[in-house]
Amino acid sequence: MVRDARAGAPLVILGAGYAGLSVAEEVRRRSRGAIPVTLVDRHPVHVLRTELYQLGEIASAGGDLARWLVPLAKVFDRSSVTVREGTVDAIDLAGGSVRVDGTSLPFGDLAICLGNVASYYGVPGAAENTSSVYRLSAAQRTAAAVREIERASPGLPGEQRPRIVVVGGGSTGTELAAEIATTDWASILGQPVRPPDVFLLTGSLPFLAGFPERVIDLARQALRRAGVTIIPALNVERVEPHRVHLTDGTVLACDLAIWCAGLEAPGLVRGLAVPHGRGGRISVGPTLEVPGPPGIFAVGDVIELRDPETGVLVPSTAQAAMSEARTAARNVVARRAGRPLEPYRYREHGILVALGVRRAAGRVGPLTLWGNPARFLKRVVEREYARSAGRGEPSRLL
Ligand SMILES: Cc1cc2nc3c(=O)[nH]c(=O)nc-3n(C[C@H](O)[C@H](O)[C@H](O)COP(=O)(O)OP(=O)(O)OC[C@H]3O[C@@H](n4cnc5c(N)ncnc54)[C@H](O)[C@@H]3O)c2cc1C
């Protein structure tokens, strides 16, 4: 069957994360509602995933997680975007349809924005014996686990500190380790507690790989001050309940291990007959089209793309996902109008990493920011993004 985007079939967007939500917002705005859009996600909400490192706040929220969620029905109320809640279980690229909860949904154009899932690199016991913060439900469980560990450690004389091991020295692991170490668990629990000893394992990758040197130095200092011990250059060999085994034979006993060591494309994407890059990500062309039938785009963490000018891999960040989404949206509109498609160019606005409840570091343009001002800016960016996403306005922040 040959697909024809002009036969009235909608642009179907799979996934309502930073990529999918931004594609929907931009296509609606640019086509002034002329292109019908169906946005599919397994949840009726957009999750503010970049804020899931805030474990202390999630632990204090008492199950009310509205602050980390943007309801999709409210964003696209009375617009050309139809929100469909359901799980995508098959994608037929050549046939021009996807299956959502067992029902076929034909598409004119398609945007695959399904994000990624934790990658355990075949490390025995890692999936079973670690928690994570990659999804809101996982972050909620992890926050509850840390809270419980602290509650059971009431700060009696002679008692050992609880120990938490964070695996992965990228920005997620770093933000999480700093947040756990600097959260005032005593005030959250209303009782004296012994704060946790936090270990951050960077594995074979350098600490905060890809960040500017000065920011890395500032982050190291902040973690040291927060009491986080960084263990570099050792991979995890296997994980047992409450024990993390390292490749040099060291065994770290712990109350909780949290896996922030990496991500890969979801199984559904890995199984597609398209070119794949690292972790099964889709290797897209310069216009963000998937090689194969025209009109199929992929955006966000699900793709692998090298900037054609620098040859550098575009990072898997919300910032990149949203800027890719703007190009993909312009290309969907151009394709339907019979105009040529434009290539994607990655430009980083800045980079910020939270380093505990009152600290952050980063670079914006030529400026290195640090401490309270950096943390303030990070909060402003996060809140501004949440506000614009909730109003259905494209955001250039994060
Ligand atoms: C703790 C943490 C902090 C971060 N901080 C930053 C930061 O400060 N700045 C930054 O730029 N980036 C940050 N990131 C990275 C950023 O969150 C990701 O790059 C971003 O979420 C990618 O957007 P996406 O739309 O590609 O994927 P996602 O946001 O993961 O969205 C994917 C969507 O697809 C849906 N989905 C998946 N499979 C299916 C299916 N089969 N059926 C239906 N729906 C499905 C999911 O429900 C989800 O809504 C952080 C990440 C984490 C975990």
Side-chain angles (χ1 to χ4, degrees):
M1 180 177 145
V2 178
R3 293 182 306 103
D4 180 4
R6 289 158 198 85
L11 160 68
V12 172
I13 302 173
L14 307 181
Y18 294 82
L21 189 73
S22 306
V23 174
E25 286 167 344
E26 282 280 347
V27 168
R28 177 183 56 77
R29 191 174 71 88
R30 290 188 169 271
S31 74
R32 297 203 174 88
I35 298 180
V37 176
T38 302
L39 176 61
V40 185
D41 200 288
R42 56 159 75 101
H43 302 298
V45 288
H46 167 74
V47 175
L48 301 174
R49 195 177 184 227
T50 63
E51 299 183 35
L52 296 185
Y53 67 91
Q54 296 162 357
L55 275 205
E57 287 171 59
I58 294 173
S60 320
D64 177 9
L65 301 176
R67 187 170 129 8
W68 290 272
L69 300 172
V70 176
L72 294 171
K74 216 171 110 202
V75 177
F76 295 112
D77 181 29
R78 281 174 289 153
S79 84
S80 53
V81 180
T82 305
V83 175
R84 173 131 171 211
E85 184 184 343
T87 298
V88 182
D89 43 49
I91 302 174
D92 178 358
L93 296 179
S97 69
V98 296
R99 211 175 58 211
V100 181
D101 289 336
T103 305
S104 173
L105 174 64
F107 60 80
D109 298 285
L110 182 70
I112 303 171
C113 307
L114 292 170
N116 47 28
V117 295
S119 177
Y120 296 99
Y121 309 106
V123 172
E128 300 80 3
N129 300 314
T130 63
S131 67
S132 79
V133 294
Y134 289 136
R135 289 170 69 162
L136 182 59
S137 51
Q140 194 179 12
R141 279 194 298 275
T142 304
V146 179
R147 185 190 163 111
E148 183 50 29
I149 288 164
E150 284 295 292
R151 196 196 56 72
S153 177
L156 300 174
E159 191 192 303
Q160 272 200 337
R161 283 174 171 230
R163 182 185 282 178
I164 293 174
V165 172
V166 177
V167 184
S171 56
T172 301
T174 301
E175 290 189 336
L176 198 67
E179 196 78 6
I180 294 171
T182 57
T183 291
D184 185 352
W185 296 102
S187 336
I188 290 175
L189 288 156
Q191 66 173 57
V193 297
R194 295 182 81 80
D197 271 335
V198 182
F199 287 76
L200 180 65
L201 305 179
T202 71
S204 50
L205 283 178
F207 173 58
L208 283 179
F211 277 70
E213 270 312 312
R214 178 78 186 117
V215 175
I216 294 173
D217 284 348
L218 290 167
R220 254 205 203 92
Q221 288 168 31
L223 289 191
R224 197 178 313 122
R225 263 187 243 122
V228 175
T229 306
I230 301 178
I231 302 184
L234 288 173
N235 280 326
V236 174
E237 191 184 71
R238 68 179 198 281
V239 187
E240 292 171 345
H242 304 295
R243 293 174 103 76
V244 178
H245 295 254
L246 306 184
T247 37
D248 70 342
T250 306
V251 181
L252 285 173
C254 61
D255 295 272
L256 182 69
I258 309 174
W259 193 262
C260 303
L263 293 154
E264 63 186 25
L268 178 63
V269 169
R270 296 170 77 93
L272 288 176
V274 298
H276 292 278
R278 296 159 310 129
R281 291 171 180 83
I282 301 173
S283 294
V284 290
T287 59
L288 303 175
E289 272 194 302
V290 179
I296 295 166
F297 297 85
V299 182
D301 281 5
V302 80
I303 68 166
E304 178 170 288
L305 178 66
R306 278 186 194 279
D307 188 293
E309 276 172 24
T310 59
V312 170
L313 278 174
V314 177
S316 293
T317 60
Q319 186 183 149
M322 290 191 297
S323 75
E324 289 158 14
R326 285 190 288 277
T327 300
R330 280 197 291 276
N331 283 342
V332 167
V333 176
R335 206 182 88 75
R336 292 210 172 205
R339 294 197 308 269
L341 309 194
E342 63 178 77
Y344 172 68
R345 292 276 178 274
Y346 176 62
R347 297 275 174 276
E348 194 165 83
H349 302 303
I351 192 161
L352 284 164
V353 58
L355 297 169
V357 290
R358 273 181 280 280
R359 296 271 179 274
R363 196 164 69 190
V364 179
L367 290 180
T368 297
L369 300 173
W370 156 243
N372 266 322
R375 184 62 194 229
F376 178 73
L377 180 64
K378 186 156 169 67
R379 282 285 174 167
V380 168
V381 168
E382 287 169 352
R383 289 298 90 204
E384 182 45 37
Y385 170 75
R387 261 198 299 278
S388 55
R391 287 195 298 256
E393 293 164 5
S395 171
R396 275 158 210 283
L397 297 175
L398 282 179

